[in-house]
Amino acid sequence: MGNSRAHAVFTTTDAEEAYARARRLVGLLEHVDDEVYVDAEVRTVEEARRIARLLPGAAVDWAEGRRDPVTGEHLYCALDAATAGDDEIRAELPLYFSADVPVSTVGPEIVRAVGEGTTDISWHGRWPDDPEADIHSSAQYDGVQLVLHGDRAQVDEWTPHHTVFVHVGKWGDLSRAGKLAAAIGGEVLGDVQIGW
C-alpha cells in the first residue's frame, strides 16, 4: 500500500486558472478513473446549498471534529443538506462535503461554488509509460490534484492561493513531474509531498 508522492506544479490566486491547468493535466493521463474525489469546506449557507446541488448524496461532517462530552466518542454530523433549513445548516457551519462523483460532473462551476473554504479535487488515473526515460505508470498512485486555498497535498492550513499537484508513483519521479509541469507552463515547486 502506502501513499503516492505529489509534486506541486502550479500555484495562483486565480481559482479558475488553477482548475484549467489541472484539467489540462487530466487530459494528459492515459487513463482517468470514472470518479473524482471532492472534499469541500463550506462556510456559509449559500455555499452549502451550491455544493449540495453539485455533490448530491455527499457525506457531510463538521470541519472540526466533535466529541461526546460524556463518553469522548467521535460524533458524526447527521445533517441532510438537501432537506435542512437555513438555520439548521447555519448552526453546523463550517462543514465538509465529500463524495466520489462521476468525472463528467466536475466542471468549473465547482470552483465558483466553494467560496473561501479549502477544497480538494482529485482525479486518479495513470500516466503514459515513457520507455525511453525508463518511466513507468502506476494506476494506484498516479493522478492530478487541485487544492483550492491550500498548498499541501495532505490538505491542512488555509492559504490565499490554489495549488495543482501531479501524483507520480509511490516513490515520486521528479523528472516526470518536471515534464508534466512544463506541459502546462508550470514548474516543480518545493519538495515532494506525501500524496493520497
Side-chain angles (χ1 to χ4, degrees):
M1 271 321 255
N3 295 89
S4 67
R5 294 301 180 261
H7 296 270
V9 295
F10 185 77
T11 188
T12 180
T13 56
D14 182 338
E16 292 192 33
E17 180 62 20
Y19 174 83
R21 302 281 178 120
R23 288 300 301 191
R24 284 174 51 196
L25 283 166
V26 170
L28 298 176
L29 287 164
E30 180 177 79
H31 166 79
V32 180
D33 288 358
D34 294 336
E35 294 186 317
V36 176
Y37 176 74
V38 180
D39 184 31
E41 177 192 11
V42 299
R43 298 179 177 185
T44 69
V45 171
E46 295 77 19
E47 290 171 7
R49 294 268 182 238
R50 290 191 303 257
I51 292 298
R53 280 192 298 276
L54 291 171
L55 305 177
V60 180
D61 204 355
W62 297 293
E64 296 182 18
R66 297 183 185 176
R67 297 197 172 274
D68 183 294
V70 176
T71 66
E73 291 183 34
H74 179 77
L75 297 174
Y76 295 93
C77 183
L79 181 75
D80 180 351
T83 61
D86 289 356
D87 290 339
E88 291 174 276
I89 293 172
R90 192 173 293 106
E92 305 299 339
L93 293 171
L95 293 165
Y96 270 113
F97 285 68
S98 58
D100 288 306
V101 295
V103 69
S104 62
T105 65
V106 180
E109 62 277 358
I110 196 141
V111 172
R112 293 181 215 111
V114 294
E116 293 296 311
T118 56
T119 299
D120 173 5
I121 305 171
S122 297
W123 293 265
H124 292 253
R126 187 179 62 249
W127 300 112
D129 286 336
D130 184 352
E132 290 180 14
D134 196 28
I135 297 173
H136 302 283
S137 63
S138 168
Q140 183 175 355
Y141 300 110
D142 290 353
V144 177
Q145 180 182 19
L146 170 60
V147 177
L148 300 173
H149 293 296
D151 59 7
R152 305 290 307 159
Q154 296 280 328
V155 180
D156 56 6
E157 294 182 15
W158 186 92
T159 68
H161 54 273
H162 319 291
T163 307
V164 178
F165 294 90
V166 292
H167 292 252
V168 288
K170 182 175 182 173
W171 308 113
D173 188 330
L174 186 58
S175 172
R176 175 172 281 209
K179 288 179 181 181
L180 292 167
I184 64 160
E187 62 183 330
V188 174
L189 306 166
D191 295 329
V192 65
Q193 297 181 29
I194 300 291
W196 48 55

